Amino acid sequence: MKKSFAFAGAALAAMVAITGISCSKSGGGDAKASGSSGGGKTVTIKYELWDSNQLPAYQAAADEFTRRNPNIKIEISQLGWDDYWTGLQTEMIGGSASDVFTDHLAKYLDFANKNQLVDLTPYIKKDNVDLSIYMNDLEKLWQTKDGKTYGLPKDWDTICIVYNKNITDKAGISHDELNNLDWNYTDGGSFEKMIRRLSVDSAGRNGLDPKFDKNNVVQYGLVLAHSDDRGQAQYSGLACSTGWMYTDGLYDWNYHYDDPRFISTIKWMKKMQDDGYLTPYTETSNGTAAVFNSEKSALVLDGSWMIGSYKTNGVFDVGFARLPEGSAGRKSMINGLGDSIWTGSKHKDEAWEWVKFLASRDAQEIIGSYGVVFPAIQSGVDKALATYKTKGYDVSAFTDEAVAPDGTFLYPIVDHSVEIGQIMTRVFDQIFLGEKAVEPALKDANAEVKALFN
């Protein structure tokens, strides 16, 4: 998802153009729990995650793990994204954090630099865990140049356009149209035309009509959340389709929020909001999914982890289309989560057994069978795709982006991610509330971000 962390360029290239959907690694063993089935006291391992949609799948994995390891009980807790990270840091300081937790590429180095994560390398070597089972060197994202490992891979995701099929069908818009849009920050390309076409005012006029009333909009073409420093499901695919990138390299700290291409992307978003085609910032306080599910917006950008949530909203069916193509191609951020062990755990050996099991084929096939995420091991992805097919879900937009040559890019992995998040959240708030002009605000913010590394 740092300046002091790096891995081989070949591994990076392989991950950036992730092609594991059809070419996972073969051979090698698996990361299976060694078992703790003998006599003795039962140990409880506390495990924490943020995605409620994944909770049933992980509970099933925990049940299987405990069946194999009767002396280790897994106690799972779940908190929403914001509360999750705030609570985790508070608990670590207070000495009450979970033994194992779902970690993020944008977060783990901050924890590691504070000596809050266990180096898994000795455990991996001791148990001869085969890391070759993971797709496209996903394991290397959790390894540092000094030989330490702070997580084992669990899944990956890409970003797509989610569309309300009731609205698009009524407007006579096909999946092929939505799946082959283009975009630029000058006139917005066919993507902007689509957004305007799907925007409707109180008189029933769409955004292509010169008389469209931006002050009385009943349906917006697109909803985006603006206060996100990485913009994973917001601006990232648009900005990076221009050839822009956050930094000069995966672990580099030289940020480019002041780049003209990025500035122009955010200007386009702000103009779309001001012209009544993009849901106003003030209406997204409860998240983009809430706006979309209330049918106040026809389109939303979101990740593959939300497939099940959108498909079971109970109000309307949805479809998934690829992100629009820019001058540098079609680009989706790709993220891979992992599981980490807290250094304050009193049961590190048992915690390792749980982490090792979660990263195994057996566990990832269990989790994949729930059809919520794409696991880090090919057989788990196959299980997920089979489940989606059974449900009648076409998720090819997500997988097509993942296998496209040079079609994905990684989260920037840098130090000071918390501070960067605070800076950029503040500046995006100011921009989309109309308190500051885009260009000077982003230039000032970029200087503030760079100053963190002095």
Side-chain angles (χ1 to χ4, degrees):
M1 269 206 269
K2 279 184 166 207
K3 91 184 163 183
S4 61
F5 285 42
F7 57 83
L12 172 58
M15 181 56 197
V16 171
I18 188 165
T19 56
I21 300 300
S22 59
C23 54
S24 64
K25 296 180 181 179
S26 60
D30 205 342
K32 295 182 180 295
S34 61
S36 181
S37 58
K41 183 178 180 181
T42 298
V43 170
T44 296
I45 295 299
K46 294 182 179 180
Y47 178 60
E48 197 162 356
L49 49 80
W50 64 75
D51 188 354
S52 60
N53 295 319
Q54 296 187 51
L55 190 56
Y58 276 88
Q59 187 58 60
D63 292 343
E64 175 60 21
F65 175 80
T66 298
R67 187 188 69 79
R68 301 183 185 193
N69 303 270
N71 288 356
I72 306 177
K73 177 184 177 183
I74 306 300
E75 183 179 295
I76 303 177
S77 60
Q78 179 267 326
L79 288 173
W81 173 264
D82 291 330
D83 293 335
Y84 180 88
W85 297 108
T86 302
L88 190 59
Q89 189 62 71
T90 301
E91 290 167 353
M92 285 182 176
I93 294 172
S96 61
S98 296
D99 302 275
V100 180
F101 64 96
T102 298
D103 211 346
H104 195 285
L105 291 174
K107 304 285 188 179
Y108 85 88
L109 191 54
D110 282 334
F111 289 120
N113 287 341
K114 296 174 184 174
N115 297 315
Q116 293 170 327
L117 301 184
V118 173
D119 175 16
L120 303 181
T121 306
Y123 290 100
I124 293 169
K125 291 180 177 179
K126 175 177 65 73
D127 289 350
N128 294 315
V129 174
D130 182 7
L131 301 181
S132 71
I133 62 176
Y134 304 112
M135 294 163 51
N136 300 82
D137 300 315
L138 278 169
E139 74 284 352
K140 287 186 169 62
L141 296 175
W142 299 92
Q143 298 170 357
T144 70
K145 66 180 182 180
D146 57 357
K148 295 183 178 180
T149 304
Y150 290 111
L152 286 183
K154 56 196 288 150
D155 58 37
W156 60 266
D157 54 65
T158 51
I159 307 298
C160 279
I161 299 171
V162 185
Y163 61 92
N164 181 322
K165 293 185 72 173
N166 287 351
I167 293 175
T168 56
D169 287 351
K170 184 178 179 180
I173 297 169
S174 69
H175 172 77
D176 285 345
E177 286 181 85
L178 290 160
N179 204 42
N180 292 284
L181 297 171
D182 59 72
W183 178 83
N184 64 79
Y185 50 67
T186 303
D187 62 16
S190 60
F191 185 47
E192 177 174 327
K193 288 184 177 64
M194 181 63 69
I195 295 169
R196 292 175 62 181
R197 183 177 172 185
L198 290 169
S199 300
V200 181
D201 67 14
S202 58
R205 296 172 294 226
N206 72 22
L208 296 174
D209 190 322
K211 295 182 180 180
F212 176 75
D213 186 356
K214 67 178 182 181
N215 297 314
N216 290 287
V217 180
V218 296
Q219 175 183 292
Y220 294 94
L222 175 68
V223 58
L224 292 178
H226 310 297
S227 298
D228 187 306
D229 63 304
R230 267 80 171 189
Q232 182 179 13
Q234 294 86 33
Y235 62 74
S236 69
L238 298 177
C240 293
S241 76
T242 69
W244 174 83
M245 189 51 65
Y246 299 83
T247 64
D248 292 330
L250 185 60
Y251 299 100
D252 184 80
W253 61 268
N254 189 30
Y255 267 90
H256 301 302
Y257 289 125
D258 59 350
D259 186 291
R261 293 167 295 185
F262 183 74
I263 292 172
S264 295
T265 299
I266 303 304
K267 280 184 176 179
W268 176 83
M269 290 172 57
K270 178 65 164 58
K271 186 177 187 300
M272 291 292 286
Q273 174 188 270
D274 294 346
D275 288 347
Y277 311 127
L278 188 65
T279 304
Y281 174 83
T282 53
E283 296 185 23
T284 62
S285 58
N286 292 323
T288 56
V291 174
F292 180 76
N293 287 333
S294 65
E295 298 195 89
K296 292 181 179 179
S297 174
L299 311 176
V300 63
L301 305 187
D302 220 328
S304 52
W305 65 89
M306 288 290 289
I307 291 172
S309 179
Y310 283 121
K311 276 290 190 179
T312 57
N313 64 65
V315 181
F316 54 86
D317 194 12
V318 304
F320 306 107
R322 297 179 300 174
L323 293 174
E325 184 174 1
S327 59
R330 182 174 286 107
K331 306 285 184 179
S332 170
M333 180 178 283
I334 192 161
N335 176 30
L337 303 182
D339 288 306
S340 298
I341 300 174
W342 176 45
T343 52
S345 170
K346 295 180 174 60
H347 308 289
K348 293 183 179 65
D349 289 345
E350 291 83 358
W352 161 246
E353 293 299 331
W354 172 234
V355 168
K356 184 172 60 171
F357 178 71
L358 286 177
S360 71
R361 282 194 180 94
D362 289 353
Q364 295 202 12
E365 287 178 9
I366 291 172
I367 293 164
S369 70
Y370 278 73
V372 179
V373 294
F374 295 116
I377 297 173
Q378 183 65 49
S379 59
V381 174
D382 294 340
K383 292 284 186 180
L385 291 174
T387 299
Y388 288 135
K389 184 177 181 179
T390 300
K391 294 179 179 179
Y393 297 178
D394 180 1
V395 298
S396 59
F398 295 102
T399 54
D400 286 350
E401 288 180 349
V403 301
D406 198 30
T408 59
F409 57 92
L410 293 170
Y411 244 82
I413 301 180
V414 295
D415 290 310
H416 302 296
S417 65
V418 173
E419 295 98 322
I420 293 170
Q422 292 169 344
I423 292 169
M424 298 310 297
T425 295
R426 183 188 73 238
V427 76
F428 284 129
D429 286 351
Q430 294 168 335
I431 287 172
F432 287 97
L433 287 173
E435 297 172 357
K436 284 191 175 182
V438 176
E439 186 166 352
L442 289 176
K443 287 184 175 180
D444 289 347
N446 198 68
E448 194 174 349
V449 168
K450 286 188 174 183
L452 294 172
F453 299 89
N454 291 340

